[in-house]
Amino acid sequence: MHTTFEQEEQKKLINGRSLFTLEFDKIRIMLSSHARSNYGREMCEGLLPCSDVKTVALWQKDTDETAVYIMREGQLPLSGLTDIREALAFVDAEGTLSMKSLLAVACFLRAVDRIKSIQSKNRDSQEDNSLYSRIRMLMSASSLEKEISFCIVSEEEMNDRASETLYQIRRKIRDAQANIREILEKIIRQHPTALQEQLVTLRGERYVVPVKSEKRSEIAGIIHDTSSSGQTIFVEPMAVVEANNKIREWMSEEREEIERILQLLSGRVFVFRTELRVDVGLIGEIDFLSAKANLAITMCGTRPILNQEGRILLRKARHPLIPKDRVVPIDFSIGDSFRTLVITGPNTGGKTVSLKTCGLLSLMAMAGLQIPCQDHSEVSVFDQVLADIGDEQSIEQSLSTFSSHMKNLVSILEKAGPSTLVLVDELGSGTDPSEGAALAMAILDHLRKQGAVTVATTHYKELKGYAIETDGVENACCEFDTETLSPTYRLLIGLPGVSNAFSISRKLGLSQEIIDAAQILLSDEGLRFEELLSAAERNNRESEKLKTEIRRMREHVKEEEAALQKERDDLENKRKKVILEAKAEKKELLTEALEEADSMLKELRKSIRDEDQQTAENRVQMIRRNLRAGLTDLETETDASKANTPIPGEAPDVVRTGGLYYAPTLGITGVLVKGPDSRGNCMLQSGSLRVSVSKSTLRYPLDGADTSKTGEQPGKAKVRTLPQPKKVSGASEIRLQRASSTLPEIQLLGMTVDEAISALDRYLDDCVLSNIATVRIVHGKGTGALRSAVNSHLRQDKRVTSFRLGTYGEGEDGVTIAQL
């Protein structure tokens, strides 16, 4: 079943001559240059486009996510990715790996650990990310890496401590070698004239001394070598022969021990072979994703929008094989209102490049690669991409150009269908112009009926007329500047191209006489057609210039608007900040003053006698009322500025000194005695109470409404009266004063019984003057003495009609509710 699945997947891949015709193989080479390992390079070299839109969408998503990671976090740590596949195959065959191969395995495992360390970062973005999912699947074998790295020092050397046996053998060898050197140095000192040089050397892993040939008899021993001149012989003195033999034996044991350790480490690699193979595959995919992402970043690629309707929309597309400083971006579209595009224009004007750009970018997108276009470019996923672009210039091919093209076209016509992209360069060329044009029209019409998306380049003017007259077929041309005799390489869709043969010839110096003769030979109809096309092309150039200028002006206006808006926003923010800071400072000062007034009240209550307490408390209460009024006004202004909620009531048209006004924010009605000042603040007097309020918060008094309590307006009928200067009577002044300062609650907590009864008696007078019907007397629970005294006083007071203890939620036994 797995094999069948792979076969089905292979069927979806697009291969064939068109990939080389459109130079997709060069894109694969560019992609391979960004790979960091053999695994990734092989995947890059084997990349093929796919015809399954879901697979292509997944590939594009993988590329985009990896590119985002690299641009945000930097390159993936892909260094040290040695190729261990040969080593794994060797251990499968129960072979013993060399130290070089084992070091390669350790290096690979260290690279795996470095890559796995990425998953400790950015955990929030790892949920649905293909790169992170592959990294998570990597299987670490740190124990194997540490074991190999400890045992093997280099490709030719093993650590003495790789095993205890190896350590003991090498210690014996070193001790024996030291003893041999001592013996040989002693011989050198005893026979200085017999030696060619006073040194100890090795021959065949045995220690010898260089002896002059004529002094051979002075030193007894075994001759191991002779110099090329024959004047020096290398003698192993008999005194060290036995020690050298022992060293040879121990060296043999050393090699056997090293081989045993290598077999042991190879066995450990064999145990981990499955994990290592999985890691090899995942590392290849990660490196492949990194290569695709880096290619996209290098060519400033974008992720295209995919469809299956044959629609291609490329915005400022660049051919990826042309250097950035030379390529001219083109806008290309097909598959929406038309599925056949005929590109005409002079030679070297960019027709073939436009054709290849369309085909190559389609193949790249279908291979999961980002394409060098602006954002929101769109590419269709085709079942096949078929191309006939004759770039070959060999003599053998030029002898049968028409036959070669026709053979390719026959193959294309057999395969073409609704999900096919067909690209044909110089359609119908290589034969008689009239016959070639007729064949070209017939081929285009056949492809159109088959439903294929077709892009063809041609010089035949008959095809221009065919595109104009046929539904689903559109003209396009590559712009040519006749003034400079150079192409602009801009593709203009919807406009047929002009050959410009006469203009080019004139600029190049061809005599006017010959040009006039050629124009006479050209039919009137053809001449008029060319002139119309030339005029249309000139008008189009002018139109494009105007569009560019208008676009530039619009962008400039938008930039200016954005700058002005930013400036306005900054000013508004600064204004609000200054106001808020000023209000905060004012509120802080008033709060401090209120706390000071409370402190004064406590001191006065303790220090002055009962007969002076009334006067003192009146004075302190006035201070507190002014401060509280300032706080209330400030908070109301702040809340109103934040919420932008209207203040109830009808605002006066004109604010005059001496007029009667209602301040809803304070809940009082009073006479305007001063203002408004430059800041719009007014001084309102209600009895002996003077408060500063904002002019914008003043309202007309409402007829029949008791504004002295809360500022609410119970009735809907409003009588607007123009405030006139008038004097307030003494009774009214007392009533206004009481109404502005009296609340429907009194606090008796902390007072003695006598103090509480006295305060309660004065409070009930104020409530009667203020028309308060229900009062709340807070005496607390405590021992109950204060509650009993309050109840006895209320029971005897004629101003009280009834009273009761508070219920749940009203304060229960700590509160008495009285009706006046």
Side-chain angles (χ1 to χ4, degrees), residues 52 206 269 394 450-451 455 490 520 526 534 621 633 737:
D52 181 62
R206 300 181 76 87
V269 173
S394 67
Q450 291 291 101
V455 184
R490 293 178 58 244
I520 292 171
S534 297
Q621 287 292 342
D633 184 42
Q737 179 181 353

Side-chain angles (χ1 to χ4, degrees), residues 570-634:
D570 291 343
L571 289 172
E572 181 64 21
N573 291 334
K574 289 179 181 177
R575 187 185 70 83
K576 290 180 179 178
K577 184 178 179 181
V578 169
I579 292 173
L580 290 175
E581 288 176 353
K583 289 180 178 178
E585 185 178 356
K586 179 181 177 183
K587 185 174 182 179
E588 185 178 353
L589 292 172
L590 289 173
T591 302
E592 290 176 359
L594 182 59
E595 291 174 354
E596 184 178 353
D598 287 335
S599 176
M600 290 170 58
L601 175 62
K602 291 178 182 178
E603 291 177 2
L604 286 170
R605 281 175 175 167
K606 291 179 181 179
S607 62
I608 63 177
R609 292 177 298 183
D610 291 341
E611 58 270 24
D612 298 324
Q613 186 174 358
Q614 177 67 40
T615 304
E617 286 201 6
N618 286 340
R619 182 163 55 86
V620 174
Q621 287 292 342
M622 183 63 67
I623 295 172
R624 294 186 64 191
R625 280 196 298 271
N626 280 317
L627 291 172
R628 290 189 187 279
L631 280 174
T632 304
D633 184 42
L634 176 65

Side-chain angles (χ1 to χ4, degrees), residues 430-449:
T431 186
D432 179 76
S434 58
E435 294 180 355
L439 276 172
M441 282 191 288
I443 291 170
L444 286 180
D445 205 51
H446 179 79
L447 291 171
R448 182 180 64 84
K449 291 176 180 177

Side-chain angles (χ1 to χ4, degrees), residues 587-762:
K587 185 174 182 179
E588 185 178 353
L589 292 172
L590 289 173
T591 302
E592 290 176 359
L594 182 59
E595 291 174 354
E596 184 178 353
D598 287 335
S599 176
M600 290 170 58
L601 175 62
K602 291 178 182 178
E603 291 177 2
L604 286 170
R605 281 175 175 167
K606 291 179 181 179
S607 62
I608 63 177
R609 292 177 298 183
D610 291 341
E611 58 270 24
D612 298 324
Q613 186 174 358
Q614 177 67 40
T615 304
E617 286 201 6
N618 286 340
R619 182 163 55 86
V620 174
Q621 287 292 342
M622 183 63 67
I623 295 172
R624 294 186 64 191
R625 280 196 298 271
N626 280 317
L627 291 172
R628 290 189 187 279
L631 280 174
T632 304
D633 184 42
L634 176 65
E635 291 170 356
T636 305
E637 289 178 8
T638 303
D639 293 340
S641 65
K642 290 181 179 178
N644 294 321
T645 54
I647 299 174
E650 184 180 358
D653 297 333
V654 180
V655 176
R656 298 175 181 172
T657 304
L660 186 67
Y661 299 99
Y662 172 52
T665 57
L666 299 177
I668 64 172
T669 300
V671 178
L672 185 68
V673 296
K674 185 179 179 181
D677 59 16
S678 59
R679 294 187 177 182
N681 293 328
C682 305
M683 186 65 68
L684 196 68
Q685 181 166 352
S686 177
S688 61
L689 174 65
R690 283 194 176 193
V691 293
S692 176
V693 296
S694 174
K695 172 186 174 182
S696 61
T697 64
L698 293 179
R699 296 293 182 266
Y700 284 125
L702 300 179
D703 187 36
D706 186 3
T707 60
S708 65
K709 295 179 184 178
T710 63
E712 296 179 357
Q713 303 164 6
K716 292 186 178 180
K718 301 178 182 179
V719 180
R720 181 184 182 281
T721 58
L722 183 65
Q724 298 293 333
K726 64 179 182 178
K727 187 175 180 181
V728 182
S729 66
S732 297
E733 182 178 347
I734 294 172
R735 185 176 294 277
L736 287 172
Q737 179 181 353
R738 297 301 183 187
S740 63
S741 61
T742 305
L743 299 174
E745 179 182 291
I746 183 172
Q747 294 279 348
L748 304 178
L749 296 172
M751 298 183 184
T752 64
V753 171
D754 292 334
E755 289 173 346
I757 297 302
S758 175
L760 178 60
D761 191 67
R762 292 194 302 273

Side-chain angles (χ1 to χ4, degrees), residues 23-24 26-34 60 63 67 71 291-304 315-325 327 329 360-361 364-365 368-375:
E23 301 178 292
F24 185 75
K26 295 181 181 179
I27 296 297
R28 287 189 292 210
I29 293 173
M30 291 176 62
L31 180 64
S32 299
S33 68
H34 292 283
Q60 286 287 348
T63 304
M71 288 188 289
K292 291 200 297 181
N294 280 303
L295 178 65
I297 294 169
T298 301
M299 63 174 55
C300 300
T302 59
R303 180 180 177 180
R315 305 176 189 273
K316 302 300 178 186
R318 306 179 304 277
H319 195 288
L321 300 178
I322 301 177
K324 291 181 181 179
D325 57 342
V327 67
L360 183 56
L361 297 195
M364 288 175 62
L369 302 176
Q370 293 192 356
I371 57 177
C373 294
Q374 283 187 352
D375 287 335

Side-chain angles (χ1 to χ4, degrees), residues 499-519:
S499 64
N500 293 309
F502 294 151
S503 300
I504 295 172
S505 300
R506 185 182 297 108
K507 291 287 184 180
L508 293 175
L510 189 64
S511 67
Q512 187 63 40
E513 183 181 353
I514 296 175
I515 294 173
D516 292 340
Q519 288 179 333

